[in-house]
């Protein structure tokens, strides 16, 4: 049975505290994604400034993503050991320091190492913030709140393009990209805000007191949470969650990276039309995130992932059927436009991820699991830009055929969505997770 006194205390957040939590999570995620998305705008300047190859400068982004997987595991573990708020502050500190330091790189090796460090820092931000948010938010509206956090990706994308173009065109070759990277130090300001205005998760504080006073099992108190999430009944759950997130990220990167090239080079779409498609897609995507957030609060987490996943299935059918239909002058008569809109709607499945994972895992491993699963998925997703061209080469250079390599990932994503346990309305307080039986809610 749930201890109602514990439930009440863990939910006793003021309106100001909840506002500080969602503001910090939205801004933190936006800064995380901004730091990744700004690199494509800086690649040519970095290549010329440091006199390195395109392959080398492109590998820097891969190293950043690899670092984020390590950061997800490290700071996720810290979030379970020392608290969500402290872990969030630490990860933002490493993230900011790495970004500032990388602005002063002098060759490929120094840039690669410093961007790897930056990746370690940004790897922990999403999980720490998302777990704290879900533990503090009204359980009936977690889906909508999580969708707003993920929807801040629109801010990140716009900010990266604006700052990247401004910095590289307003300053010298050697200083433009450095100034752009210096803006990645802005999480320092967020750290200060979190320090003074953002509360620690009351659910975690309750759990920590119970852990320190011997009210939970010894294995929970002493075990490495990285191992604990792969033991007992959590083993199959963790495998399914990893497969689910890896499939999502592989499909996302396999399509989003190559669609502009497909439209312009293969289908003869003018650059200004591609730009208009991107703008319309951003609006549709933002609305889709909010709509799916409302729907997964109303009908369940599975629904909030299944419906977008089916939209991806429509996208794959459109890509197979219309990949050779060239742009004929009408935007709304262009089949690839609607195919891309279906893809964007499918992307909104990401809005349910933070909440569903937080509800699946018990409090003693929640931060570790959420961070590691998300960042491991992102790491696998970084392989898609390599796999798609290889697949295309195997089909005679047909880019669209290569992009269809994501179809098995879509099928896997849908399968895992059907198999994962439904958790809508689950209580994330200590009483639901720290019984001596060691069973999660």
């Amino acid at each position: 049975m749930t201890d109602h006194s514990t439930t009440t205390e863990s939910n006793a957040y003021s309106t100001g505290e909840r506002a500080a939590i969602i503001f910090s999570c939205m801004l933190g995620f936006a800064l995380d994604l901004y730091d990744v998305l700004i690199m494509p705008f800086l690649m040519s300047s970095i290549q010329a400034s440091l006199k390195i190859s395109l392959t080398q400068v492109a590998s820097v982004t891969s190293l950043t993503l690899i670092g984020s997987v390590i950061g997800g595991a490290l700071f996720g573990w810290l979030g379970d050991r020392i608290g969500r708020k402290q872990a969030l502050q630490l990860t933002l500190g490493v993230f900011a320091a790495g970004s500032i330091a990388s602005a002063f790189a002098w060759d490929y090796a120094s840039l690669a190492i410093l961007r790897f460090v930056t990746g370690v820092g940004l790897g922990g931000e999403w999980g720490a913030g998302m777990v704290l948010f879900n533990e503090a938010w009204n359980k009936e509206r977690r889906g909508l709140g999580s969708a707003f956090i993920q929807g801040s990706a629109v801010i990140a994308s716009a900010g990266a393009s604006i700052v990247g173009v401004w910095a590289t065109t307003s300053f010298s070759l050697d200083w433009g990209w450095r100034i752009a990277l210096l803006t990645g130090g802005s999480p320092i300001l967020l750290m200060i805000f979190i320090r003074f205005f953002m509360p620690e998760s009351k659910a975690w504080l309750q759990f920590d007191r119970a852990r320190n006073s011997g009210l939970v099992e010894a294995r929970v108190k002493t075990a490495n949470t990285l191992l604990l999430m792969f033991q007992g009944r959590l083993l199959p759950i963790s495998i399914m969650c990893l497969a689910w997130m890896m499939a999502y990220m592989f499909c996302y990167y396999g399509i989003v990276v190559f669609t502009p090239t497909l439209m312009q080079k293969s289908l003869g779409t003018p650059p200004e039309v591609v730009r208009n498609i991107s703008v319309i897609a951003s609006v549709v995507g933002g609305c889709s995130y909010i709509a799916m957030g409302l729907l997964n609060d109303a009908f369940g987490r599975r629904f909030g992932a299944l419906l977008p996943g089916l939209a991806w299935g429509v996208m794959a059918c459109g890509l197979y059927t219309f990949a050779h239909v060239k742009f004929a002058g009408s935007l709304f008569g262009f089949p690839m436009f609607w195919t891309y809109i279906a893809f964007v709607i499918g992307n909104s499945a990401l809005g349910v991820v933070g909440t569903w994972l937080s509800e699946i895992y018990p409090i003693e491993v929640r931060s570790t699991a959420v961070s590691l699963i998300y960042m491991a998925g992102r790491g696998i997703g970084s392989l898609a830009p390599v796999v798609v061209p290889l697949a295309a080469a195997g089909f005679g250079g047909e880019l669209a055929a290569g992009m269809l390599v994501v179809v098995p990932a879509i099928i896997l994503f849908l399968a895992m969505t059907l198999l994962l346990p439904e958790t809508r309305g689950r209580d994330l307080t200590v009483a639901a997770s720290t019984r001596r039986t060691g069973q999660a809610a």
Side-chain angles (χ1 to χ4, degrees):
M1 297 293 290
T2 298
D3 183 336
H4 293 289
S5 64
T6 300
T7 302
T8 301
E9 182 176 344
S10 68
N11 287 336
Y13 295 88
S14 69
T15 300
E17 286 178 325
R18 284 201 171 99
I21 288 171
I22 195 167
F23 170 79
S24 298
C25 291
M26 289 180 69
L27 186 56
F29 177 66
L31 291 172
D32 166 349
L33 196 58
Y34 165 88
D35 200 79
V36 174
L37 294 179
I38 200 170
M39 282 301 290
F41 295 96
L42 311 180
M43 286 174 62
S44 60
S45 295
I46 292 173
Q47 181 186 0
S49 175
L50 297 183
K51 296 178 174 57
I52 59 180
S53 69
L54 182 60
T55 300
Q56 286 177 313
V57 72
S59 71
V60 170
T61 297
S62 296
L63 287 169
T64 304
L65 294 175
I66 292 170
S68 72
V69 178
I70 296 173
L74 172 61
F75 289 103
W77 173 79
L78 284 173
D80 285 324
R81 303 309 301 176
I82 66 175
R84 313 331 189 186
K85 179 178 176 177
Q86 290 192 63
L88 182 55
Q89 291 180 91
L90 286 173
T91 191
L92 287 171
V94 174
F95 172 14
S99 191
I100 292 171
S102 63
F104 299 97
W106 58 93
D107 60 10
Y108 169 71
S110 60
L111 181 64
I113 292 170
L114 292 171
R115 291 301 295 174
F116 175 82
V117 171
T118 304
V120 172
L122 66 84
E125 181 282 324
W126 185 87
M130 188 60 75
V131 167
L132 199 160
F133 164 80
N134 281 289
E135 289 177 344
W137 213 248
N138 184 319
K139 65 183 180 181
E140 302 300 328
R141 293 192 290 273
R142 286 183 193 134
L144 180 60
S146 178
F148 270 106
I149 293 172
Q150 296 294 157
S152 63
V154 176
I155 301 173
S157 178
S161 61
I162 292 170
V163 174
V165 172
W166 166 77
T168 53
T169 57
S170 301
F171 300 93
S172 68
L173 177 65
D174 287 330
W175 276 103
W177 65 272
R178 296 180 190 275
I179 289 172
L181 289 182
L182 282 173
T183 63
S186 53
I188 291 175
L189 300 176
L190 182 57
M191 284 177 62
I192 297 171
F193 178 85
I194 290 171
R195 171 66 179 82
F196 291 103
F197 297 104
M198 185 178 180
E200 176 58 274
S201 164
K202 292 180 173 64
W204 181 85
L205 289 172
Q206 285 279 1
F207 167 71
D208 193 48
R209 284 195 290 270
R211 177 169 56 186
N212 291 334
S213 57
L215 296 178
V216 296
E217 283 189 341
R219 72 176 185 86
V220 172
K221 183 175 180 179
T222 61
N224 184 329
T225 52
L226 288 169
L227 298 178
L228 199 58
M229 66 176 283
F230 291 104
Q231 292 180 357
R233 71 164 195 85
L234 289 181
L235 174 60
I237 293 291
S238 293
I239 292 173
M240 286 190 291
C241 287
L242 280 167
W244 183 61
M245 198 71 260
M246 289 174 176
Y248 175 93
M249 291 294 187
F250 186 86
C251 181
Y252 173 77
Y253 284 106
I255 299 297
V256 76
V257 170
F258 299 101
T259 298
T261 301
L262 176 67
M263 289 183 179
Q264 291 186 63
K265 293 188 175 181
S266 301
L267 304 181
T269 313
E272 61 272 17
V273 174
V274 175
R275 178 201 61 204
N276 292 340
I277 290 173
S278 297
V279 171
I280 295 171
S282 295
V283 175
V284 172
C287 293
S288 182
Y289 267 109
I290 295 171
M292 292 304 166
L294 290 168
L295 289 173
N296 79 58
D297 277 337
F299 300 110
R301 310 310 180 207
R302 181 174 293 109
F303 186 89
L306 186 60
L307 191 59
L310 293 174
W312 267 359
V314 172
M315 176 274 298
C317 292
L319 189 61
Y320 177 80
T321 306
F322 302 113
H324 300 289
V325 179
K326 295 185 178 294
F327 180 73
S330 170
L331 175 62
F332 296 112
F334 183 34
M336 195 51 59
F337 165 74
W338 297 106
T339 298
Y340 191 63
I341 292 299
F343 168 68
V344 168
I345 293 172
N347 295 348
S348 61
L350 194 63
V352 76
V353 169
T355 293
W356 203 355
L357 291 178
S358 294
E359 292 174 341
I360 284 175
Y361 283 92
I363 197 167
E364 57 266 23
V365 298
R366 186 173 295 143
S367 179
T368 302
V370 172
S371 290
L372 178 61
I373 289 167
Y374 185 86
M375 291 304 161
R378 181 184 274 185
I380 292 297
S382 70
L383 299 177
V386 177
V387 174
V388 168
L390 291 175
F395 288 102
E398 290 285 344
L399 179 57
M403 292 166 68
L404 286 171
V405 76
V406 305
V407 169
I410 296 173
I411 295 171
L412 179 61
F413 177 80
L414 289 170
M416 294 301 102
T417 296
L418 293 172
L419 290 174
L420 287 172
E422 178 56 61
T423 60
R424 180 170 66 100
R426 179 165 290 182
D427 193 351
L428 301 186
T429 58
V430 173
S433 306
T434 56
R435 295 186 291 267
R436 286 185 179 274
T437 60
Q439 298 297 310

